[in-house]
Amino acid sequence: MCSSHNQLVPKVATIKKITEETSSGDVKTFYVEFDKPEERAEFKNMPGQCAMISVLGVGESMISITSSPTRPDPLEFSIKKMGKVTSKLHDMSVGSKIGIRGPYGNNFPVDEWRGKDLVFIGGGIGLAPLRSVINYCIDKKENYGSISIIYGSRSPADLCFKEELFDNWPNLEGVEVHLTVDKVEEGERWDKSVGFVPQYLEQISPSPNNSIAITCGPPIMIKYVLESLEKMKFEDEQIITTLELKMQCGVGYCGRCNIGDKYVCIDGPVFSYKQIKEMPQEF
Amino acid sequence: MNKLLRSNVSCLLKKLSEHTEIYASTEEDGVCILAKLDNYEEWTMNYVRTANSVKDVFFPQNEEIMKYKDASSDLKIEAPKPFKERIAFGVRPCDAAAMLLLDDVFLKGEFYDSYYKERREKGTIITIACEKPDQHCFCTSFDLSPGATEGSDIVLYPTEDFFLVVEVTEKGKKLIKDNAELFEDIGAKPEIVDSYKNMRTVLGDVCIPNDLNEKLKGEFDNSYWKKIARRCLGCGNCTFVCPTCHCFAVCDVARGCDGKRARTWDSCKFQDFFLMAGDHNPRPTQIERTRQRFMHKLNYFKEKYDKYQCIGCGRCVEKCPVGVHIADVITHMKEEL
Ligand SMILES: Cc1cc2nc3c(=O)[nH]c(=O)nc-3n(C[C@H](O)[C@H](O)[C@H](O)COP(=O)(O)OP(=O)(O)OC[C@H]3O[C@@H](n4cnc5c(N)ncnc54)[C@H](O)[C@@H]3O)c2cc1C
Ligand code: SF4
Ligand code: SF4
Ligand code: FES
């Protein structure tokens, strides 16, 4: 790994393109390129890893790299407007300069999943980290069994990555997409499921045989999805999720992202349900 | 073994200062601290523990991480200039040993901290063994002693009119060799060193952690955390004076298009330390935060590095305004569990 240089000083990168993911405008995807090609070459990411994105003068935020390393350039980050840094990012335009350092954290154990059926369960912005590993597994489809994507958001307008959800993924062989929304406003067009992700998951009821379930989303969704998966007889080792804690350094020194003796920034963010059950329940 | 006359210390510091920054124990407004010295006569031995620890010399309370220029159009980011060589003089054995715990955090992981690493590589620690540990000291709880050498490059053992000099590392050996005219070989005197190493501390004799880390594993919901957290004021004193605490915050300071990014010590005892965007706080009350501090030092750190994250310097024992401190936690938990 890349420990040979100063980890806290970011590299300069330029925003090349920005897309709005949701009609409320709270999630945007940023397409980013390092200014120096050699710095891109040093940045070797795997699906599930994150990067510290800097807005100079404002601060830094840990963000999942939503693009798959099988489609390396530009790097893509989907960012929800929350506070200082993310709001400032949302105000930036194509051509603006940001700082990037990373990649940080562990990745989804894609090698251990060879030969297995994969069930991805996401909610809201939680599809961002899943998207990198979904596209990774699609690009290496020969290594994996079937891929099911079960995804929900508050409303049809809040679904992220609509092009992939509606036009790309469903047309691929061995890939299924199941969509649901919490509610539909009067007059909105929607011919898919209405209801929360955990219930919808139980309705679809994917088989636990030779499967891995991977879930990301708001904490409350994850909680109920985990219960549903247990009901459906998925073993703890077959369930993978990610954790989110406050981060400042991303490299294990600033001391604020620990759960027990694990630091989410370096030991996570990807954990199996088995590992999570062994931690103090404090997240 | 060498001896160093007390009257030669100022001379030594002055000579060393030609190439290095000198941080030494000195008195300011009636308080003994470890600070950068310009007048080398002003070193003192009039303290049990300095108010701050040697941590400050290698991991300062505030430091610039980088500068940037032109945030919007042609962004340039600059790391700080190289640091100077530095010597810390008059460090206590416990504080020197605490540096080894900070080394675990900042140097031993997948990523090292460049700022800390450079200062450590350019730093020398000259320790003075403790003649009179006080009622707050409990280094002996952690297999250290008033004469311990862990983490020091040189340890000076006070006798009535001189210091007996023990060189611990190659760096220490070289320093003595380079300044040989100020030292005098007086042959082996192990009995002086042993008398320091065999000294006990009163608190250390009652505060005995042993395998407490194992016992604490099941005690996440122990009501004792609630009981002591009720008293805690959340002032953060305990974490700021601690030579082993390493948590920090990162903050940007902008001046128009230019600015800098700095890091500054932070405390797990503060309400916003774990507060996330969207107002989620995994440790929302002082109960979770008090538990976090003590579990980190007595269980999580030990799981990770096989050491307790405390060296018994006694600062938190002395400085907590409401008597919530680690020696009490160890003593209480050992009795209860
Ligand atoms: C492993 C990981 C992956 C993430 N991936 C994404 C992603 O792909 N897309 C996305 O939109 N968000 C993601 N987040 C959340 C994102 O980091 C926070 O929403 C963001 O840092 C909030 O920053 P702010 O300055 O806008 O908010 P403020 O409330 O102003 O926060 C101030 C500072 O506190 C820290 N902080 C606050 N909340 C969080 C948090 N939830 N997580 C980590 N640090 C925090 C940051 O350093 C931030 O700059 C991820 C978080 C983690 C831990
Ligand atoms: S916890 Fe207290 S006694 Fe232990 S090293 Fe820190 S300040 Fe000193
Ligand atoms: S010094 Fe005492 S009161 Fe202050 S935060 Fe620490 S434990 Fe709480
Ligand atoms: S973010 Fe600093 S320790 Fe994890």
Side-chain angles (χ1 to χ4, degrees), chain B residues 82-101:
Chain B
F83 303 125
K84 295 210 174 83
E85 296 279 338
R86 57 202 55 221
I87 288 173
F89 180 91
V91 176
R92 287 306 189 197
C94 56
D95 290 349
M99 291 311 300
L100 301 180
L101 303 182

mmCIF file of all heavy atoms in Angstrom, chain B residues 82-101:
data_model
loop_
_atom_site.group_PDB
_atom_site.id
_atom_site.type_symbol
_atom_site.label_atom_id
_atom_site.label_comp_id
_atom_site.label_asym_id
_atom_site.label_seq_id
_atom_site.Cartn_x
_atom_site.Cartn_y
_atom_site.Cartn_z
ATOM 1 N N PRO B 82 10.823 21.502 6.047
ATOM 2 C CA PRO B 82 11.384 20.500 6.965
ATOM 3 C C PRO B 82 11.550 21.061 8.384
ATOM 4 O O PRO B 82 11.795 22.254 8.560
ATOM 5 C CB PRO B 82 12.747 20.191 6.348
ATOM 6 C CG PRO B 82 12.644 20.595 4.928
ATOM 7 C CD PRO B 82 11.656 21.714 4.861
ATOM 8 N N PHE B 83 11.392 20.191 9.358
ATOM 9 C CA PHE B 83 11.542 20.614 10.756
ATOM 10 C C PHE B 83 13.015 20.605 11.149
ATOM 11 O O PHE B 83 13.836 19.944 10.530
ATOM 12 C CB PHE B 83 10.787 19.660 11.685
ATOM 13 C CG PHE B 83 9.330 19.550 11.362
ATOM 14 C CD1 PHE B 83 8.745 18.319 11.123
ATOM 15 C CD2 PHE B 83 8.526 20.685 11.298
ATOM 16 C CE1 PHE B 83 7.394 18.218 10.821
ATOM 17 C CE2 PHE B 83 7.174 20.597 11.001
ATOM 18 C CZ PHE B 83 6.609 19.351 10.761
ATOM 19 N N LYS B 84 13.307 21.332 12.235
ATOM 20 C CA LYS B 84 14.684 21.352 12.757
ATOM 21 C C LYS B 84 14.913 20.160 13.688
ATOM 22 O O LYS B 84 13.972 19.598 14.237
ATOM 23 C CB LYS B 84 14.892 22.640 13.568
ATOM 24 C CG LYS B 84 14.809 23.907 12.735
ATOM 25 C CD LYS B 84 15.712 24.978 13.364
ATOM 26 C CE LYS B 84 15.796 26.207 12.507
ATOM 27 N NZ LYS B 84 14.663 27.130 12.714
ATOM 28 N N GLU B 85 16.187 19.812 13.869
ATOM 29 C CA GLU B 85 16.561 18.841 14.890
ATOM 30 C C GLU B 85 16.110 19.372 16.246
ATOM 31 O O GLU B 85 16.103 20.587 16.467
ATOM 32 C CB GLU B 85 18.086 18.657 14.922
ATOM 33 C CG GLU B 85 18.696 18.088 13.672
ATOM 34 C CD GLU B 85 18.573 16.568 13.588
ATOM 35 O OE1 GLU B 85 18.411 15.927 14.638
ATOM 36 O OE2 GLU B 85 18.623 16.049 12.451
ATOM 37 N N ARG B 86 15.744 18.494 17.152
ATOM 38 C CA ARG B 86 15.269 18.966 18.457
ATOM 39 C C ARG B 86 15.708 18.045 19.586
ATOM 40 O O ARG B 86 15.839 16.841 19.391
ATOM 41 C CB ARG B 86 13.749 19.084 18.455
ATOM 42 C CG ARG B 86 13.056 17.783 18.111
ATOM 43 C CD ARG B 86 11.654 17.994 17.599
ATOM 44 N NE ARG B 86 11.638 18.898 16.472
ATOM 45 C CZ ARG B 86 10.701 19.858 16.319
ATOM 46 N NH1 ARG B 86 9.721 19.976 17.182
ATOM 47 N NH2 ARG B 86 10.742 20.657 15.283
ATOM 48 N N ILE B 87 15.965 18.645 20.740
ATOM 49 C CA ILE B 87 16.322 17.876 21.926
ATOM 50 C C ILE B 87 15.368 18.248 23.037
ATOM 51 O O ILE B 87 15.095 19.435 23.264
ATOM 52 C CB ILE B 87 17.781 18.159 22.340
ATOM 53 C CG1 ILE B 87 18.728 17.491 21.338
ATOM 54 C CG2 ILE B 87 18.049 17.666 23.760
ATOM 55 C CD1 ILE B 87 20.178 17.815 21.532
ATOM 56 N N ALA B 88 14.809 17.227 23.692
ATOM 57 C CA ALA B 88 13.981 17.487 24.865
ATOM 58 C C ALA B 88 14.790 17.104 26.092
ATOM 59 O O ALA B 88 15.276 15.975 26.188
ATOM 60 C CB ALA B 88 12.694 16.681 24.785
ATOM 61 N N PHE B 89 14.922 18.036 27.021
ATOM 62 C CA PHE B 89 15.761 17.817 28.207
ATOM 63 C C PHE B 89 14.912 17.934 29.475
ATOM 64 O O PHE B 89 14.131 18.883 29.611
ATOM 65 C CB PHE B 89 16.895 18.858 28.250
ATOM 66 C CG PHE B 89 17.795 18.694 29.436
ATOM 67 C CD1 PHE B 89 18.935 17.900 29.347
ATOM 68 C CD2 PHE B 89 17.487 19.301 30.654
ATOM 69 C CE1 PHE B 89 19.760 17.731 30.456
ATOM 70 C CE2 PHE B 89 18.315 19.124 31.766
ATOM 71 C CZ PHE B 89 19.452 18.333 31.665
ATOM 72 N N GLY B 90 15.096 16.976 30.378
ATOM 73 C CA GLY B 90 14.368 17.057 31.642
ATOM 74 C C GLY B 90 13.036 16.334 31.600
ATOM 75 O O GLY B 90 12.162 16.555 32.429
ATOM 76 N N VAL B 91 12.899 15.465 30.599
ATOM 77 C CA VAL B 91 11.686 14.658 30.452
ATOM 78 C C VAL B 91 11.639 13.648 31.600
ATOM 79 O O VAL B 91 12.683 13.200 32.067
ATOM 80 C CB VAL B 91 11.750 13.941 29.081
ATOM 81 C CG1 VAL B 91 10.578 13.006 28.892
ATOM 82 C CG2 VAL B 91 11.834 14.972 27.955
ATOM 83 N N ARG B 92 10.432 13.293 32.047
ATOM 84 C CA ARG B 92 10.320 12.247 33.065
ATOM 85 C C ARG B 92 10.240 10.870 32.396
ATOM 86 O O ARG B 92 9.746 10.767 31.267
ATOM 87 C CB ARG B 92 9.084 12.485 33.939
ATOM 88 C CG ARG B 92 9.225 13.658 34.916
ATOM 89 C CD ARG B 92 10.449 13.513 35.776
ATOM 90 N NE ARG B 92 10.492 14.513 36.848
ATOM 91 C CZ ARG B 92 11.588 14.820 37.525
ATOM 92 N NH1 ARG B 92 12.742 14.242 37.221
ATOM 93 N NH2 ARG B 92 11.545 15.706 38.504
ATOM 94 N N PRO B 93 10.692 9.828 33.095
ATOM 95 C CA PRO B 93 10.704 8.486 32.480
ATOM 96 C C PRO B 93 9.325 8.048 31.956
ATOM 97 O O PRO B 93 9.232 7.423 30.902
ATOM 98 C CB PRO B 93 11.159 7.578 33.624
ATOM 99 C CG PRO B 93 11.941 8.465 34.525
ATOM 100 C CD PRO B 93 11.317 9.828 34.427
ATOM 101 N N CYS B 94 8.260 8.401 32.690
ATOM 102 C CA CYS B 94 6.927 7.983 32.232
ATOM 103 C C CYS B 94 6.584 8.656 30.907
ATOM 104 O O CYS B 94 6.071 8.014 29.987
ATOM 105 C CB CYS B 94 5.873 8.294 33.288
ATOM 106 S SG CYS B 94 5.829 10.027 33.790
ATOM 107 N N ASP B 95 6.883 9.944 30.804
ATOM 108 C CA ASP B 95 6.557 10.677 29.574
ATOM 109 C C ASP B 95 7.365 10.167 28.381
ATOM 110 O O ASP B 95 6.863 10.112 27.254
ATOM 111 C CB ASP B 95 6.805 12.181 29.754
ATOM 112 C CG ASP B 95 5.799 12.825 30.702
ATOM 113 O OD1 ASP B 95 4.805 12.150 31.051
ATOM 114 O OD2 ASP B 95 6.007 13.991 31.084
ATOM 115 N N ALA B 96 8.616 9.807 28.640
ATOM 116 C CA ALA B 96 9.434 9.241 27.562
ATOM 117 C C ALA B 96 8.824 7.917 27.104
ATOM 118 O O ALA B 96 8.721 7.636 25.904
ATOM 119 C CB ALA B 96 10.866 9.035 28.040
ATOM 120 N N ALA B 97 8.374 7.107 28.052
ATOM 121 C CA ALA B 97 7.760 5.818 27.707
ATOM 122 C C ALA B 97 6.455 6.025 26.939
ATOM 123 O O ALA B 97 6.087 5.211 26.085
ATOM 124 C CB ALA B 97 7.503 4.997 28.977
ATOM 125 N N ALA B 98 5.768 7.137 27.223
ATOM 126 C CA ALA B 98 4.516 7.425 26.513
ATOM 127 C C ALA B 98 4.762 7.610 25.020
ATOM 128 O O ALA B 98 3.907 7.310 24.186
ATOM 129 C CB ALA B 98 3.851 8.677 27.086
ATOM 130 N N MET B 99 5.956 8.074 24.655
ATOM 131 C CA MET B 99 6.262 8.278 23.239
ATOM 132 C C MET B 99 6.197 6.959 22.467
ATOM 133 O O MET B 99 5.842 6.936 21.294
ATOM 134 C CB MET B 99 7.652 8.910 23.074
ATOM 135 C CG MET B 99 7.770 10.343 23.549
ATOM 136 S SD MET B 99 6.479 11.443 22.933
ATOM 137 C CE MET B 99 6.756 11.300 21.177
ATOM 138 N N LEU B 100 6.528 5.868 23.132
ATOM 139 C CA LEU B 100 6.477 4.576 22.443
ATOM 140 C C LEU B 100 5.031 4.207 22.101
ATOM 141 O O LEU B 100 4.773 3.536 21.102
ATOM 142 C CB LEU B 100 7.124 3.486 23.301
ATOM 143 C CG LEU B 100 8.594 3.735 23.667
ATOM 144 C CD1 LEU B 100 9.122 2.591 24.528
ATOM 145 C CD2 LEU B 100 9.454 3.898 22.417
ATOM 146 N N LEU B 101 4.083 4.659 22.935
ATOM 147 C CA LEU B 101 2.673 4.399 22.642
ATOM 148 C C LEU B 101 2.200 5.270 21.480
ATOM 149 O O LEU B 101 1.424 4.833 20.637
ATOM 150 C CB LEU B 101 1.807 4.656 23.880
ATOM 151 C CG LEU B 101 2.165 3.866 25.145
ATOM 152 C CD1 LEU B 101 1.194 4.187 26.269
ATOM 153 C CD2 LEU B 101 2.151 2.380 24.871
#
